Amino acid sequence: VGLCEGRPRPLASGMARADDTHRDEFYRSLGGTKAMARASGSLEARDTPTALMVTGVIGPGSYDEFRSALMQAEPELVVLDGPGGILGEALLIGEEVRRRRLNTVVGPNGSCASACAVVFLSGRTKYLGAGANVGLHAASTADGRPDAEATAVMAAYLKAMGVPNATLRRMAQTAPNKIRWLTKSEQKAIGIRA
């Protein structure tokens, strides 16, 4: 989890991309202007947006790290890129994203799956860069076995985020060791902006 002004960059993770130019253009296109800040109603107008970047696996303590990063500044965007992780931590982070009415982004050619997708889908406005993917699957126990109770908790949460029942059924039918990427029509139904 990292916090920065302007272009998002990870502080705690070494993840980097070769397509920085496209990524920079994408973030500028999100409208990190005074108008966007005023439209949110909760942020002071500034020329460059503050973004919180969450990369890698969501593990034990990720929620605490996320809250700590939020105390350093008031981000406008939460930029996500990761394979998933612990559902409970993701739900706590997602609730914080909802409470603060933060926008979420998966940058160009990025991917956000499983627990990461739970956080992404919690965003007030959800942006998906060119070539980016968001994926879901059924929840599992720590040893990888399907966990029907956790899947039901995740489905109830995502339903409250506006994820259609058909998508939730497909999620529940996808084994924990597989990922089902959202289709363009599902993205549209959820209100994800390309």
Side-chain angles (χ1 to χ4, degrees):
V1 179
L3 194 67
C4 62
E5 288 284 333
R7 182 173 64 110
R9 58 183 166 77
L11 296 181
S13 170
M15 183 171 285
R17 297 225 166 198
D19 58 345
D20 281 346
T21 302
H22 294 297
R23 183 174 61 187
D24 290 348
E25 289 172 12
F26 173 72
Y27 293 123
R28 279 194 299 273
S29 76
L30 293 178
T33 62
K34 294 177 184 179
M36 181 179 174
R38 281 192 206 102
S40 73
S42 65
L43 300 172
E44 210 174 286
R46 56 182 163 241
D47 291 322
T48 58
T50 300
L52 178 65
M53 182 167 238
V54 180
T55 64
V57 175
I58 297 172
S62 289
Y63 171 67
D64 290 336
E65 189 177 352
F66 184 78
R67 290 257 317 162
S68 177
L70 289 175
M71 290 179 180
Q72 296 177 31
E74 293 184 23
E76 298 172 32
L77 305 168
V78 177
V79 183
L80 297 142
D81 193 346
I86 299 173
L87 177 60
E89 294 283 324
L91 291 170
L92 290 170
I93 294 169
E95 280 297 318
E96 194 69 29
V97 166
R98 287 179 70 190
R99 189 178 74 73
R100 293 175 183 255
R101 298 183 45 79
L102 298 172
N103 299 317
T104 54
V105 178
V106 178
N109 301 310
S111 65
C112 183
S114 186
C116 179
V118 170
V119 176
F120 172 74
L121 293 168
S122 300
R124 181 179 60 152
T125 303
K126 298 162 267 302
Y127 298 98
L128 198 58
N133 288 299
V134 174
L136 295 167
H137 62 144
S140 67
T141 60
D143 63 2
R145 289 179 291 129
D147 186 335
E149 185 178 349
T151 299
V153 168
M154 181 169 53
Y157 180 85
L158 292 175
K159 183 172 184 168
M161 298 300 97
V163 177
N165 287 333
T167 301
L168 296 174
R169 279 192 299 276
R170 290 184 199 108
M171 174 195 78
Q173 294 167 354
T174 303
N177 63 342
K178 306 277 186 200
I179 295 290
R180 186 180 171 285
W181 303 105
L182 296 179
T183 65
K184 296 287 184 194
S185 62
E186 287 173 320
Q187 293 170 21
K188 185 176 180 181
I190 294 168
I192 296 170
R193 296 186 184 181

